[in-house]
PDB file of all heavy atoms in Angstrom:
ATOM      1  N   TYR A  55     -15.169  -5.278  -0.981  1.00 88.00           N
ATOM      2  CA  TYR A  55     -15.234  -4.638  -2.296  1.00 88.00           C
ATOM      3  C   TYR A  55     -16.015  -3.341  -2.150  1.00 88.00           C
ATOM      4  O   TYR A  55     -16.997  -3.280  -1.423  1.00 88.00           O
ATOM      5  CB  TYR A  55     -15.952  -5.560  -3.294  1.00 88.00           C
ATOM      6  CG  TYR A  55     -16.111  -4.957  -4.672  1.00 88.00           C
ATOM      7  CD1 TYR A  55     -15.097  -5.068  -5.611  1.00 88.00           C
ATOM      8  CD2 TYR A  55     -17.253  -4.258  -5.019  1.00 88.00           C
ATOM      9  CE1 TYR A  55     -15.233  -4.512  -6.877  1.00 88.00           C
ATOM     10  CE2 TYR A  55     -17.391  -3.703  -6.277  1.00 88.00           C
ATOM     11  CZ  TYR A  55     -16.379  -3.831  -7.195  1.00 88.00           C
ATOM     12  OH  TYR A  55     -16.502  -3.269  -8.448  1.00 88.00           O
ATOM     13  N   GLY A  56     -15.572  -2.298  -2.837  1.00 88.00           N
ATOM     14  CA  GLY A  56     -16.321  -1.051  -2.797  1.00 88.00           C
ATOM     15  C   GLY A  56     -15.763  -0.004  -3.737  1.00 88.00           C
ATOM     16  O   GLY A  56     -14.662  -0.140  -4.275  1.00 88.00           O
ATOM     17  N   ASP A  57     -16.543   1.046  -3.927  1.00 90.00           N
ATOM     18  CA  ASP A  57     -16.116   2.177  -4.756  1.00 90.00           C
ATOM     19  C   ASP A  57     -15.032   2.958  -4.026  1.00 90.00           C
ATOM     20  O   ASP A  57     -14.979   2.978  -2.801  1.00 90.00           O
ATOM     21  CB  ASP A  57     -17.291   3.112  -5.024  1.00 90.00           C
ATOM     22  CG  ASP A  57     -18.380   2.459  -5.860  1.00 90.00           C
ATOM     23  OD1 ASP A  57     -18.068   1.530  -6.611  1.00 90.00           O
ATOM     24  OD2 ASP A  57     -19.533   2.893  -5.747  1.00 90.00           O
ATOM     25  N   TYR A  58     -14.184   3.605  -4.793  1.00 90.00           N
ATOM     26  CA  TYR A  58     -13.136   4.453  -4.229  1.00 90.00           C
ATOM     27  C   TYR A  58     -13.182   5.796  -4.930  1.00 90.00           C
ATOM     28  O   TYR A  58     -13.232   5.858  -6.155  1.00 90.00           O
ATOM     29  CB  TYR A  58     -11.747   3.828  -4.424  1.00 90.00           C
ATOM     30  CG  TYR A  58     -10.652   4.652  -3.785  1.00 90.00           C
ATOM     31  CD1 TYR A  58     -10.248   4.408  -2.490  1.00 90.00           C
ATOM     32  CD2 TYR A  58     -10.053   5.704  -4.477  1.00 90.00           C
ATOM     33  CE1 TYR A  58      -9.266   5.177  -1.888  1.00 90.00           C
ATOM     34  CE2 TYR A  58      -9.078   6.481  -3.887  1.00 90.00           C
ATOM     35  CZ  TYR A  58      -8.685   6.216  -2.597  1.00 90.00           C
ATOM     36  OH  TYR A  58      -7.722   6.985  -2.012  1.00 90.00           O
ATOM     37  N   ARG A  59     -13.168   6.854  -4.132  1.00 90.00           N
ATOM     38  CA  ARG A  59     -13.083   8.214  -4.670  1.00 90.00           C
ATOM     39  C   ARG A  59     -11.851   8.886  -4.112  1.00 90.00           C
ATOM     40  O   ARG A  59     -11.411   8.571  -3.008  1.00 90.00           O
ATOM     41  CB  ARG A  59     -14.321   9.016  -4.295  1.00 90.00           C
ATOM     42  CG  ARG A  59     -15.541   8.470  -5.006  1.00 90.00           C
ATOM     43  CD  ARG A  59     -16.699   9.364  -4.848  1.00 90.00           C
ATOM     44  NE  ARG A  59     -17.812   8.762  -5.585  1.00 90.00           N
ATOM     45  CZ  ARG A  59     -19.013   9.217  -5.587  1.00 90.00           C
ATOM     46  NH1 ARG A  59     -19.304  10.296  -4.903  1.00 90.00           N
ATOM     47  NH2 ARG A  59     -19.948   8.620  -6.278  1.00 90.00           N
ATOM     48  N   ARG A  60     -11.327   9.799  -4.869  1.00 90.00           N
ATOM     49  CA  ARG A  60     -10.114  10.508  -4.474  1.00 90.00           C
ATOM     50  C   ARG A  60     -10.211  10.982  -3.024  1.00 90.00           C
ATOM     51  O   ARG A  60     -11.188  11.601  -2.630  1.00 90.00           O
ATOM     52  CB  ARG A  60      -9.878  11.682  -5.413  1.00 90.00           C
ATOM     53  CG  ARG A  60      -8.522  12.296  -5.256  1.00 90.00           C
ATOM     54  CD  ARG A  60      -8.307  13.367  -6.309  1.00 90.00           C
ATOM     55  NE  ARG A  60      -7.026  13.955  -6.097  1.00 90.00           N
ATOM     56  CZ  ARG A  60      -6.029  13.908  -6.951  1.00 90.00           C
ATOM     57  NH1 ARG A  60      -6.204  13.334  -8.110  1.00 90.00           N
ATOM     58  NH2 ARG A  60      -4.881  14.447  -6.663  1.00 90.00           N
ATOM     59  N   GLY A  61      -9.209  10.669  -2.230  1.00 89.00           N
ATOM     60  CA  GLY A  61      -9.164  11.069  -0.831  1.00 89.00           C
ATOM     61  C   GLY A  61      -9.775  10.069   0.136  1.00 89.00           C
ATOM     62  O   GLY A  61      -9.682  10.239   1.343  1.00 89.00           O
ATOM     63  N   ASP A  62     -10.379   9.012  -0.389  1.00 88.00           N
ATOM     64  CA  ASP A  62     -10.993   8.009   0.489  1.00 88.00           C
ATOM     65  C   ASP A  62      -9.976   7.298   1.377  1.00 88.00           C
ATOM     66  O   ASP A  62     -10.344   6.683   2.375  1.00 88.00           O
ATOM     67  CB  ASP A  62     -11.764   6.962  -0.323  1.00 88.00           C
ATOM     68  CG  ASP A  62     -13.171   7.401  -0.688  1.00 88.00           C
ATOM     69  OD1 ASP A  62     -13.597   8.488  -0.240  1.00 88.00           O
ATOM     70  OD2 ASP A  62     -13.843   6.658  -1.430  1.00 88.00           O
ATOM     71  N   TRP A  63      -8.702   7.380   1.038  1.00 86.00           N
ATOM     72  CA  TRP A  63      -7.680   6.709   1.839  1.00 86.00           C
ATOM     73  C   TRP A  63      -7.737   7.165   3.296  1.00 86.00           C
ATOM     74  O   TRP A  63      -7.371   6.428   4.199  1.00 86.00           O
ATOM     75  CB  TRP A  63      -6.281   6.942   1.264  1.00 86.00           C
ATOM     76  CG  TRP A  63      -5.856   8.372   1.270  1.00 86.00           C
ATOM     77  CD1 TRP A  63      -6.052   9.277   0.265  1.00 86.00           C
ATOM     78  CD2 TRP A  63      -5.193   9.074   2.317  1.00 86.00           C
ATOM     79  NE1 TRP A  63      -5.545  10.503   0.624  1.00 86.00           N
ATOM     80  CE2 TRP A  63      -5.015  10.406   1.893  1.00 86.00           C
ATOM     81  CE3 TRP A  63      -4.722   8.707   3.574  1.00 86.00           C
ATOM     82  CZ2 TRP A  63      -4.393  11.365   2.680  1.00 86.00           C
ATOM     83  CZ3 TRP A  63      -4.104   9.661   4.361  1.00 86.00           C
ATOM     84  CH2 TRP A  63      -3.947  10.975   3.911  1.00 86.00           C
ATOM     85  N   LYS A  64      -8.227   8.379   3.532  1.00 87.00           N
ATOM     86  CA  LYS A  64      -8.291   8.913   4.899  1.00 87.00           C
ATOM     87  C   LYS A  64      -9.243   8.113   5.782  1.00 87.00           C
ATOM     88  O   LYS A  64      -9.067   8.062   6.989  1.00 87.00           O
ATOM     89  CB  LYS A  64      -8.720  10.372   4.872  1.00 87.00           C
ATOM     90  CG  LYS A  64      -7.741  11.271   4.142  1.00 87.00           C
ATOM     91  CD  LYS A  64      -8.303  12.665   3.974  1.00 87.00           C
ATOM     92  CE  LYS A  64      -7.426  13.475   3.041  1.00 87.00           C
ATOM     93  NZ  LYS A  64      -8.018  14.748   2.683  1.00 87.00           N
ATOM     94  N   LYS A  65     -10.259   7.507   5.181  1.00 86.00           N
ATOM     95  CA  LYS A  65     -11.248   6.757   5.959  1.00 86.00           C
ATOM     96  C   LYS A  65     -11.334   5.286   5.558  1.00 86.00           C
ATOM     97  O   LYS A  65     -12.197   4.562   6.041  1.00 86.00           O
ATOM     98  CB  LYS A  65     -12.617   7.416   5.826  1.00 86.00           C
ATOM     99  CG  LYS A  65     -13.134   7.481   4.403  1.00 86.00           C
ATOM    100  CD  LYS A  65     -14.442   8.228   4.314  1.00 86.00           C
ATOM    101  CE  LYS A  65     -14.878   8.273   2.857  1.00 86.00           C
ATOM    102  NZ  LYS A  65     -16.045   9.065   2.640  1.00 86.00           N
ATOM    103  N   PHE A  66     -10.434   4.847   4.702  1.00 80.00           N
ATOM    104  CA  PHE A  66     -10.461   3.487   4.175  1.00 80.00           C
ATOM    105  C   PHE A  66     -10.002   2.495   5.237  1.00 80.00           C
ATOM    106  O   PHE A  66      -8.979   2.690   5.880  1.00 80.00           O
ATOM    107  CB  PHE A  66      -9.544   3.395   2.950  1.00 80.00           C
ATOM    108  CG  PHE A  66      -9.900   2.290   2.017  1.00 80.00           C
ATOM    109  CD1 PHE A  66     -10.855   2.472   1.033  1.00 80.00           C
ATOM    110  CD2 PHE A  66      -9.275   1.069   2.111  1.00 80.00           C
ATOM    111  CE1 PHE A  66     -11.191   1.455   0.166  1.00 80.00           C
ATOM    112  CE2 PHE A  66      -9.594   0.037   1.247  1.00 80.00           C
ATOM    113  CZ  PHE A  66     -10.561   0.237   0.277  1.00 80.00           C
ATOM    114  N   LYS A  67     -10.756   1.441   5.439  1.00 81.00           N
ATOM    115  CA  LYS A  67     -10.386   0.393   6.393  1.00 81.00           C
ATOM    116  C   LYS A  67      -9.812  -0.801   5.640  1.00 81.00           C
ATOM    117  O   LYS A  67     -10.435  -1.315   4.722  1.00 81.00           O
ATOM    118  CB  LYS A  67     -11.597  -0.029   7.208  1.00 81.00           C
ATOM    119  CG  LYS A  67     -12.130   1.081   8.088  1.00 81.00           C
ATOM    120  CD  LYS A  67     -13.137   0.554   9.073  1.00 81.00           C
ATOM    121  CE  LYS A  67     -13.824   1.668   9.798  1.00 81.00           C
ATOM    122  NZ  LYS A  67     -13.158   2.290  10.844  1.00 81.00           N
TER     123      LYS A  67
END
Side-chain angles (χ1 to χ4, degrees):
Y55 178 86
D57 295 335
Y58 183 92
R59 292 190 179 175
R60 192 175 178 117
D62 276 355
W63 63 269
K64 297 172 190 171
K65 60 184 179 185
F66 204 86
K67 295 192 189 281

